[in-house]
Amino acid sequence: MTDDGERDPIKAAIEGLRRQAESAPRGDGGPPGVRLKVDNEVEGLRRLEALLFAAEEPLDIESLQARIGSGFDVPALLSGLQAKYAGAGVNLVEVAGKWRFQTAEDLQHLLQFRREEPKKLSQAALETLAIIAYHQPVTRAEIEDIRGVAVSKGTIDLLFEQKWVRLRGRRRSPGRPVTYGTTDAFLEYFGLPSIGDLPGVSDLKAAGLLSSRLPPNFDMPDPGRIPAIEEDLFEDEAEAANFHVDFMDEEDRGEE
């Protein structure tokens, strides 16, 4: 039983398998693998739980599978572990396609801790980050066209420093401009499972971040339908780094 009186779904499933194994005929006449399946599931849950509790950062399914070994159904184990901790003081959550334990939302007020906060973003940086998030993959010229002012190297550099923005590749258009997109660190910081979970217009209005009286021609991309514009992705980090250096070497154009 859980703390709130509900039956633990994982324990109930394991107990059912054990009863099946105990009532089955002994020897070769019984169903093969029942006890092995029970023990395997228990061991898989123990390994998964230990890894996620000890991890310093969220882990993806591939990393978990590699660490706990073959023979375990990691997605199924994650679902069971998530159900087990659903009403606990810590919950298992998916963020940016990765998994981590975190304090239950209704108990966060009990914790006091210190952490290094990212540098406060200027209005220009906030606008640039929002444009990249909702319009990615987006070029520097497209950012400037949407904002109506030039983008300074300091603004882009700050977003790179926070590791919220990355270089995606080159657009397949004249001039082969570089495109920008958000990172997993951006999703993790803002608690988003995926870029499609960015708030839409109605969510922003409800949160008081948008005026209820928007201009009739106001348009905002649907985060769940970010277009797949053709582009050539960078082959490696070194190539991406060179483009960043090239950008930083450009003359800083003032920004409003």
Side-chain angles (χ1 to χ4, degrees):
M1 301 288 286
T2 59
D3 293 339
D4 56 5
E6 295 183 359
R7 192 171 188 185
D8 188 320
I10 295 180
K11 289 185 178 179
I14 293 175
E15 289 171 2
L17 286 171
R18 282 188 174 138
R19 285 195 297 271
Q20 181 183 352
E22 290 169 357
S23 62
R26 296 292 186 264
D28 295 337
V34 175
R35 288 186 179 80
L36 180 60
K37 182 177 180 181
V38 173
D39 294 339
N40 193 56
E41 184 176 3
V42 171
E43 179 61 20
L45 286 171
R46 290 181 67 246
R47 294 186 185 187
L48 198 63
E49 196 171 32
L51 281 171
L52 289 168
F53 264 118
E56 296 181 355
E57 57 185 10
L59 298 174
D60 57 30
I61 291 178
E62 290 74 17
S63 298
L64 290 168
Q65 187 73 69
R67 296 187 188 190
I68 71 172
S70 59
F72 297 98
D73 186 349
V74 171
L77 292 174
L78 284 169
S79 297
L81 206 57
Q82 191 173 39
K84 175 182 177 181
Y85 284 92
V90 293
N91 301 143
L92 180 61
V93 299
E94 182 182 7
V95 177
K98 300 178 183 179
W99 294 83
R100 72 181 180 192
F101 278 111
Q102 67 180 34
T103 305
E105 290 188 6
D106 61 323
L107 298 179
Q108 291 180 1
H109 66 282
L110 299 176
L111 303 179
Q112 293 183 353
F113 58 93
R114 294 177 179 272
R115 71 175 182 181
E116 184 178 348
E117 290 289 343
K119 293 181 180 178
K120 185 176 180 180
L121 297 183
S122 65
Q123 185 64 31
L126 286 172
E127 291 175 4
T128 301
L129 179 62
I131 291 170
I132 292 174
Y134 280 94
H135 293 264
Q136 60 185 301
V138 61
T139 67
R140 178 179 176 181
E142 290 167 344
I143 296 172
E144 294 175 341
D145 183 58
I146 294 170
R147 287 198 63 223
V149 294
V151 177
S152 75
K153 63 182 181 183
T155 296
I156 293 291
D157 189 45
L158 177 58
L159 297 179
F160 270 97
E161 183 181 326
Q162 299 299 135
K163 298 183 179 179
W164 289 345
V165 167
R166 66 185 177 93
L167 294 169
R168 286 274 304 261
R170 304 186 190 94
R171 180 70 54 77
R172 295 180 184 176
S173 61
R176 308 280 285 161
V178 176
T179 59
Y180 299 92
T182 54
T183 63
D184 285 349
F186 168 83
L187 296 176
E188 291 169 10
Y189 183 82
F190 290 99
L192 299 170
S194 69
I195 202 66
D197 293 289
L198 281 168
V201 174
S202 58
D203 299 318
L204 294 174
K205 282 183 179 179
L209 299 176
L210 278 182
S211 170
S212 57
R213 301 177 61 185
L214 294 172
N217 61 344
F218 179 83
D219 183 32
M220 185 173 180
D222 179 354
R225 297 182 178 180
I226 292 177
I229 298 176
E230 287 193 357
E231 58 181 340
D232 290 327
L233 302 181
F234 289 115
E235 295 296 330
D236 52 42
E237 294 297 328
E239 186 180 5
N242 288 334
F243 268 97
H244 189 203
V245 170
D246 291 343
F247 174 82
M248 294 304 298
D249 285 341
E250 294 180 12
E251 182 180 355
D252 186 8
R253 296 177 294 165
E255 149 177 58
E256 296 177 6

